[in-house]
Amino acid sequence: MQLVMPDTGLLIWMMITFLIVLILLKKFAWKPILTMIKEREDSIDSALKSAERAKEEMRSLQSDNEKILAQARHERDQMMKEARDMKDNIVGEAKGKAKEEADKILASAREAIQNEKMAAITELKNQVALLSVDIAEKILKRELSDENKQRDLIGDLLKDTKLN
Amino acid sequence: MRINSILARIVLFVGAFLVPALGFARYEDEKADSAKSAAEPVKTEKKAEGFNPGEMIIEHISDNHQWHIYGKLAIPLPCIVKTDKGFECFSSGNFRNHETHELQPYEGKNYTYALKEGKIVVWDKVADAENETATKTLLDVSITKNVVTLFIVVGLMFLIFFNVAKTYKKRVGQTTKGMQSVFEPFIMFVRDDIAKTSIGKNYERYMPYLLTVFFFIWISNMLGLVPFFPGGANFTGNITITLALALLTFVITLISAKKNYWRHIFAMPGVPIGVLVILTPIEIFGMFLKPMVLMIRLFANITAGHIIALSFYALIFIFAKGGESMGAGLGVSVASVAFCVFMMFLELLVAFIQAYVFTLLSAIYFGSAVEEHHHEEHSDSPAAVAAH
């Protein structure tokens, strides 16, 4: 029975001591310990969060980089294309101009040739005419030495000539 | 008788520390050891006319005015008594004759005192009997064995947790170190698994009490398992200690109780009036039953542990029959030591579990007291009470 009977003296000691312990530990142990644990947890939390944020930033930076790279590549391609176009244009234009010039030269050459040819032909014609006249003169001189033959000729000429 | 209790403690000490250390390879040595221990009571037993295990066990688990160390060596503890004539302070060594170590009355300033069944009573010298009317006015606030244990536990707690707190202050933003690493998991355990889950959002208010109770009970339980001087007292197995702890839990529960808590006791929402007539007395009874159960559970568990260990050792002396059948005593001693080693491991577990259960249930009671809306409060408490 004594075993389950609370003892007043011990109860007084226990209550006083335990309450003092509770107050002292609360003030000098539990409060700092719990605050520090909480602070550390918060700092770990925020560190993790900021790391996550940094990762996110890195990822966005990377995608930005890729975007910039793609853009640069695209721009380069465009520039190349433009350059090619420009080259083609220039070459084409140059070709056209050259052809035109060549044509012009050719045309003028042809014209000159034509002119020369015409001049030569005219000259030839004049020479031939002169020669023919000379030949004809000489032939006539010989033929017309005989009277009969003069009459025949005049007759032939008159036959051909139609009076109109 | 007293010597037997000391011997039991020595055997406990030898058993608990030598057997695991030496292992079964040194089986023979151990047998010799036990034989020596068993041989000693032969001389005293004949004088003390038989060994009374019940008396030995009860004496061991009760509070005491002195602290036995070994054999006839005991630390006398200061007695502080208050009678109708005022306070008086003297050493409990006065109750024993220096030569014979027999109990004797002590003639104090106000009264003559004597030890009767371990309690201080006022003694009538002339009649050589207890002065019962004067005893009724006597208040014994002596520094008993349990009070000393209380101081040791408190000292240990201060030593440990001031140190831990200092380390926390010194190592801000760093990893834990030393003692801090040992205790942080337990502090976190109390906070996350006990307080946060049982109380809810206002758990921080109760953290100092829960932490103090948890470590107080755990350290006390562990100290009670140490079979030699600073330990060995049946401290948390003393109903006064558990009463004080349960009382504090009860008072804190009542102080923090909100309207919802009282409504659940006096007028359970959603229950017809006819049923309330039956239910309300049960709820009121339950309100007091909860701390009662807390008190009895811790007391019974720890006391049972001490009784089991002592019973096993008592078996040795019972079988030895005061030296008549040494062989039987020897044989039983081997089994007793083995069982006690097993019990020691079990008690190590119990020491933690009881600290945990007490703290957890306190937290659950606080939780139900501060609960704002009603959800499952009823399924909570009986289940928790039945938990152990």
Side-chain angles (χ1 to χ4, degrees), chain A residues 1-57:
Chain A
M1 204 49 216
Q2 192 213 329
L3 202 60
V4 290
M5 286 303 288
D7 184 77
T8 323
L10 185 57
L11 187 66
I12 293 168
W13 280 111
M14 172 64 187
M15 275 299 189
I16 293 170
T17 317
F18 191 85
L19 287 175
I20 291 172
V21 170
L22 184 60
I23 291 163
L24 286 181
L25 281 181
K26 181 184 172 178
K27 197 157 182 219
F28 298 111
W30 305 134
K31 227 177 200 160
I33 289 173
L34 290 170
T35 330
M36 296 291 164
I37 290 178
K38 193 144 188 75
E39 265 171 30
R40 203 182 50 204
E41 272 176 354
D42 287 350
S43 84
I44 289 171
D45 257 12
S46 69
L48 281 175
K49 254 180 218 149
S50 70
E52 194 60 38
R53 224 179 296 127
K55 219 196 256 170
E56 201 70 25
E57 252 165 55

Side-chain angles (χ1 to χ4, degrees), chain A residues 7 9 13 18 30 40-41, chain B residues 119 140-141 184 191 212 240:
Chain A
D7 184 77
W13 280 111
F18 191 85
W30 305 134
R40 203 182 50 204
E41 272 176 354
Chain B
K119 292 224 176 268
D140 181 6
V141 284
E184 186 174 303
R191 194 192 67 171
T212 312
T240 314

Side-chain angles (χ1 to χ4, degrees), chain A residues 36-119:
Chain A
M36 296 291 164
I37 290 178
K38 193 144 188 75
E39 265 171 30
R40 203 182 50 204
E41 272 176 354
D42 287 350
S43 84
I44 289 171
D45 257 12
S46 69
L48 281 175
K49 254 180 218 149
S50 70
E52 194 60 38
R53 224 179 296 127
K55 219 196 256 170
E56 201 70 25
E57 252 165 55
M58 273 293 275
R59 207 173 297 140
S60 77
L61 252 159
Q62 223 156 18
S63 72
D64 270 8
N65 274 355
E66 250 154 52
K67 222 182 278 170
I68 289 168
L69 250 156
Q71 210 173 332
R73 218 172 283 141
H74 185 249
E75 255 167 50
R76 189 199 64 189
D77 287 354
Q78 201 135 9
M79 275 163 93
M80 291 273 278
K81 201 176 151 221
E82 264 170 36
R84 216 175 290 130
D85 284 357
M86 208 181 272
K87 181 198 79 181
D88 286 354
N89 269 356
I90 289 170
V91 168
E93 228 167 82
K95 258 188 195 158
K97 249 187 200 155
K99 203 173 169 224
E100 217 171 275
E101 203 78 7
D103 284 354
K104 229 188 250 170
I105 290 168
L106 260 167
S108 71
R110 217 170 275 139
E111 209 177 326
I113 289 165
Q114 192 69 25
N115 286 348
E116 292 293 315
K117 200 172 100 190
M118 288 317 264

Side-chain angles (χ1 to χ4, degrees), chain B residues 69-92:
Chain B
I69 305 295
Y70 176 85
K72 285 178 177 171
L73 179 66
I75 302 174
L77 299 169
C79 295
I80 304 166
V81 288
K82 185 195 169 289
T83 52
D84 50 348
K85 288 183 187 169
F87 278 102
E88 197 166 343
C89 187
F90 53 90
S91 164
S92 75

